[in-house]
Amino acid sequence: MGGTAATARRVLACVQRHGPGTTAVPRMRVTGLLLLVAHLSIVAWLTLRPRTVPWVSATNLEPLATIRAELAHGLSWEVVQHLGGSVLLLAPLGVLLPLSAGRLNVSPLVSLTRTVFAGAMISLAIELLQSGVPGRVPDIDSVLLASLGVALAHLAVVPGARRRLRRRYGDLGEVTPRIPRVELAPQADVLSGSRTYL
């Protein structure tokens, strides 16, 4: 009976750890967090270093104004580089944010919404910090393009990866503990040697 109770406690602890919105293997979370910190460090180094330039454009707070101005000159390699660079800069966050959370059983829409919102907030923080860096100019279109990159990366990788991991580790959110019934001992056993009146 003692072994069965110990097994039941272990199963229950596992289920409580891996309930709905399962937290996957801790190594996956640690890996995600390390990669996330490394990526954000590189992004900060690329975007927040002062630049020595003779001229900078004005701050853009009108959505899509920079994108329209770039596309007005035609679709050249420089335009693709500029717009594509803004899309790709934070795109890895679309994978790294869910990876660092380590959840397998989560609604795809909720995951996408949370990830894109977090990516947009990180991009907005970068743009606000750039307002105090010489040679850097905040641009609201950079936030829009970065959010698009996060969403595309998330949609391309995360749903399929979660499906594969759920198949590999099993649907841990569906585990139901099987705890043996605890029954009362007969009164005669409890009160051994005493008289019973029931």
Side-chain angles (χ1 to χ4, degrees), residues 95-115:
V95 176
L96 295 178
L97 288 170
L99 180 65
S100 62
R103 295 192 179 281
L104 293 181
N105 295 329
V106 65
S107 162
L109 182 60
V110 169
S111 178
L112 177 65
T113 304
R114 262 196 314 228
T115 304

mmCIF file of all heavy atoms in Angstrom, residues 95-115:
data_model
loop_
_atom_site.group_PDB
_atom_site.id
_atom_site.type_symbol
_atom_site.label_atom_id
_atom_site.label_comp_id
_atom_site.label_asym_id
_atom_site.label_seq_id
_atom_site.Cartn_x
_atom_site.Cartn_y
_atom_site.Cartn_z
ATOM 1 N N VAL A 95 9.824 32.501 -32.605
ATOM 2 C CA VAL A 95 10.106 31.138 -32.161
ATOM 3 C C VAL A 95 10.673 31.134 -30.745
ATOM 4 O O VAL A 95 10.316 30.298 -29.923
ATOM 5 C CB VAL A 95 11.089 30.458 -33.137
ATOM 6 C CG1 VAL A 95 11.472 29.073 -32.655
ATOM 7 C CG2 VAL A 95 10.507 30.406 -34.536
ATOM 8 N N LEU A 96 11.565 32.086 -30.451
ATOM 9 C CA LEU A 96 12.261 32.078 -29.161
ATOM 10 C C LEU A 96 11.350 32.395 -27.979
ATOM 11 O O LEU A 96 11.537 31.843 -26.891
ATOM 12 C CB LEU A 96 13.430 33.067 -29.200
ATOM 13 C CG LEU A 96 14.553 32.726 -30.180
ATOM 14 C CD1 LEU A 96 15.622 33.795 -30.164
ATOM 15 C CD2 LEU A 96 15.142 31.364 -29.876
ATOM 16 N N LEU A 97 10.376 33.273 -28.154
ATOM 17 C CA LEU A 97 9.472 33.590 -27.042
ATOM 18 C C LEU A 97 8.635 32.368 -26.627
ATOM 19 O O LEU A 97 8.588 32.033 -25.437
ATOM 20 C CB LEU A 97 8.585 34.787 -27.389
ATOM 21 C CG LEU A 97 9.307 36.146 -27.413
ATOM 22 C CD1 LEU A 97 8.400 37.223 -28.011
ATOM 23 C CD2 LEU A 97 9.762 36.549 -26.033
ATOM 24 N N PRO A 98 7.985 31.658 -27.570
ATOM 25 C CA PRO A 98 7.269 30.447 -27.157
ATOM 26 C C PRO A 98 8.203 29.348 -26.628
ATOM 27 O O PRO A 98 7.854 28.621 -25.709
ATOM 28 C CB PRO A 98 6.572 29.966 -28.439
ATOM 29 C CG PRO A 98 6.507 31.163 -29.312
ATOM 30 C CD PRO A 98 7.709 31.994 -28.973
ATOM 31 N N LEU A 99 9.409 29.257 -27.210
ATOM 32 C CA LEU A 99 10.365 28.253 -26.748
ATOM 33 C C LEU A 99 10.775 28.514 -25.304
ATOM 34 O O LEU A 99 10.844 27.595 -24.490
ATOM 35 C CB LEU A 99 11.605 28.247 -27.650
ATOM 36 C CG LEU A 99 12.702 27.245 -27.311
ATOM 37 C CD1 LEU A 99 12.188 25.824 -27.503
ATOM 38 C CD2 LEU A 99 13.922 27.483 -28.180
ATOM 39 N N SER A 100 11.002 29.780 -24.973
ATOM 40 C CA SER A 100 11.406 30.106 -23.601
ATOM 41 C C SER A 100 10.256 29.919 -22.613
ATOM 42 O O SER A 100 10.481 29.685 -21.431
ATOM 43 C CB SER A 100 11.949 31.531 -23.525
ATOM 44 O OG SER A 100 10.956 32.458 -23.872
ATOM 45 N N ALA A 101 9.009 30.007 -23.101
ATOM 46 C CA ALA A 101 7.867 29.734 -22.225
ATOM 47 C C ALA A 101 7.729 28.235 -21.986
ATOM 48 O O ALA A 101 7.294 27.805 -20.921
ATOM 49 C CB ALA A 101 6.586 30.296 -22.823
ATOM 50 N N GLY A 102 8.097 27.420 -22.989
ATOM 51 C CA GLY A 102 8.106 25.977 -22.828
ATOM 52 C C GLY A 102 6.748 25.327 -22.744
ATOM 53 O O GLY A 102 6.625 24.238 -22.222
ATOM 54 N N ARG A 103 5.719 25.964 -23.260
ATOM 55 C CA ARG A 103 4.371 25.384 -23.166
ATOM 56 C C ARG A 103 4.039 24.632 -24.452
ATOM 57 O O ARG A 103 4.241 25.132 -25.548
ATOM 58 C CB ARG A 103 3.351 26.481 -22.925
ATOM 59 C CG ARG A 103 3.547 27.160 -21.586
ATOM 60 C CD ARG A 103 2.363 28.043 -21.246
ATOM 61 N NE ARG A 103 2.530 28.670 -19.958
ATOM 62 C CZ ARG A 103 2.320 28.075 -18.801
ATOM 63 N NH1 ARG A 103 1.939 26.825 -18.778
ATOM 64 N NH2 ARG A 103 2.491 28.722 -17.675
ATOM 65 N N LEU A 104 3.501 23.425 -24.266
ATOM 66 C CA LEU A 104 3.097 22.610 -25.413
ATOM 67 C C LEU A 104 1.604 22.694 -25.687
ATOM 68 O O LEU A 104 1.183 22.731 -26.824
ATOM 69 C CB LEU A 104 3.477 21.145 -25.170
ATOM 70 C CG LEU A 104 4.961 20.822 -25.125
ATOM 71 C CD1 LEU A 104 5.158 19.334 -24.891
ATOM 72 C CD2 LEU A 104 5.651 21.254 -26.386
ATOM 73 N N ASN A 105 0.800 22.694 -24.650
ATOM 74 C CA ASN A 105 -0.658 22.696 -24.817
ATOM 75 C C ASN A 105 -1.200 24.098 -24.615
ATOM 76 O O ASN A 105 -1.563 24.474 -23.511
ATOM 77 C CB ASN A 105 -1.309 21.721 -23.830
ATOM 78 C CG ASN A 105 -0.907 20.305 -24.115
ATOM 79 O OD1 ASN A 105 -0.657 19.952 -25.263
ATOM 80 N ND2 ASN A 105 -0.817 19.488 -23.087
ATOM 81 N N VAL A 106 -1.215 24.863 -25.688
ATOM 82 C CA VAL A 106 -1.738 26.226 -25.638
ATOM 83 C C VAL A 106 -2.433 26.490 -26.966
ATOM 84 O O VAL A 106 -2.034 25.952 -27.998
ATOM 85 C CB VAL A 106 -0.601 27.236 -25.356
ATOM 86 C CG1 VAL A 106 0.391 27.278 -26.479
ATOM 87 C CG2 VAL A 106 -1.130 28.617 -25.063
ATOM 88 N N SER A 107 -3.472 27.288 -26.927
ATOM 89 C CA SER A 107 -4.219 27.615 -28.139
ATOM 90 C C SER A 107 -3.298 28.316 -29.143
ATOM 91 O O SER A 107 -2.576 29.245 -28.776
ATOM 92 C CB SER A 107 -5.388 28.527 -27.776
ATOM 93 O OG SER A 107 -5.874 29.195 -28.916
ATOM 94 N N PRO A 108 -3.307 27.906 -30.417
ATOM 95 C CA PRO A 108 -2.463 28.553 -31.418
ATOM 96 C C PRO A 108 -2.744 30.051 -31.546
ATOM 97 O O PRO A 108 -1.820 30.847 -31.702
ATOM 98 C CB PRO A 108 -2.806 27.818 -32.719
ATOM 99 C CG PRO A 108 -3.334 26.508 -32.285
ATOM 100 C CD PRO A 108 -4.021 26.754 -30.968
ATOM 101 N N LEU A 109 -4.009 30.449 -31.450
ATOM 102 C CA LEU A 109 -4.351 31.867 -31.565
ATOM 103 C C LEU A 109 -3.824 32.654 -30.370
ATOM 104 O O LEU A 109 -3.279 33.751 -30.519
ATOM 105 C CB LEU A 109 -5.863 32.033 -31.700
ATOM 106 C CG LEU A 109 -6.359 33.476 -31.874
ATOM 107 C CD1 LEU A 109 -5.766 34.089 -33.131
ATOM 108 C CD2 LEU A 109 -7.866 33.517 -31.922
ATOM 109 N N VAL A 110 -3.969 32.088 -29.171
ATOM 110 C CA VAL A 110 -3.464 32.755 -27.967
ATOM 111 C C VAL A 110 -1.951 32.884 -28.044
ATOM 112 O O VAL A 110 -1.371 33.937 -27.740
ATOM 113 C CB VAL A 110 -3.887 31.986 -26.697
ATOM 114 C CG1 VAL A 110 -3.170 32.503 -25.470
ATOM 115 C CG2 VAL A 110 -5.392 32.076 -26.517
ATOM 116 N N SER A 111 -1.284 31.823 -28.469
ATOM 117 C CA SER A 111 0.174 31.837 -28.584
ATOM 118 C C SER A 111 0.635 32.892 -29.588
ATOM 119 O O SER A 111 1.561 33.666 -29.318
ATOM 120 C CB SER A 111 0.675 30.460 -29.004
ATOM 121 O OG SER A 111 2.065 30.470 -29.172
ATOM 122 N N LEU A 112 -0.020 32.933 -30.748
ATOM 123 C CA LEU A 112 0.340 33.924 -31.768
ATOM 124 C C LEU A 112 0.117 35.333 -31.253
ATOM 125 O O LEU A 112 0.980 36.209 -31.410
ATOM 126 C CB LEU A 112 -0.479 33.676 -33.034
ATOM 127 C CG LEU A 112 -0.269 34.683 -34.161
ATOM 128 C CD1 LEU A 112 1.149 34.605 -34.705
ATOM 129 C CD2 LEU A 112 -1.280 34.458 -35.274
ATOM 130 N N THR A 113 -1.029 35.574 -30.626
ATOM 131 C CA THR A 113 -1.353 36.910 -30.124
ATOM 132 C C THR A 113 -0.340 37.363 -29.083
ATOM 133 O O THR A 113 0.176 38.481 -29.139
ATOM 134 C CB THR A 113 -2.768 36.933 -29.520
ATOM 135 O OG1 THR A 113 -3.689 36.473 -30.504
ATOM 136 C CG2 THR A 113 -3.160 38.321 -29.079
ATOM 137 N N ARG A 114 -0.042 36.478 -28.123
ATOM 138 C CA ARG A 114 0.915 36.818 -27.066
ATOM 139 C C ARG A 114 2.295 37.105 -27.641
ATOM 140 O O ARG A 114 2.965 38.048 -27.252
ATOM 141 C CB ARG A 114 1.020 35.655 -26.073
ATOM 142 C CG ARG A 114 0.193 35.840 -24.844
ATOM 143 C CD ARG A 114 0.595 34.901 -23.748
ATOM 144 N NE ARG A 114 0.788 33.533 -24.166
ATOM 145 C CZ ARG A 114 0.274 32.489 -23.552
ATOM 146 N NH1 ARG A 114 -0.464 32.634 -22.482
ATOM 147 N NH2 ARG A 114 0.505 31.281 -23.982
ATOM 148 N N THR A 115 2.721 36.262 -28.585
ATOM 149 C CA THR A 115 4.062 36.401 -29.153
ATOM 150 C C THR A 115 4.194 37.676 -29.970
ATOM 151 O O THR A 115 5.178 38.409 -29.835
ATOM 152 C CB THR A 115 4.386 35.168 -30.023
ATOM 153 O OG1 THR A 115 4.244 33.997 -29.224
ATOM 154 C CG2 THR A 115 5.785 35.233 -30.564
#
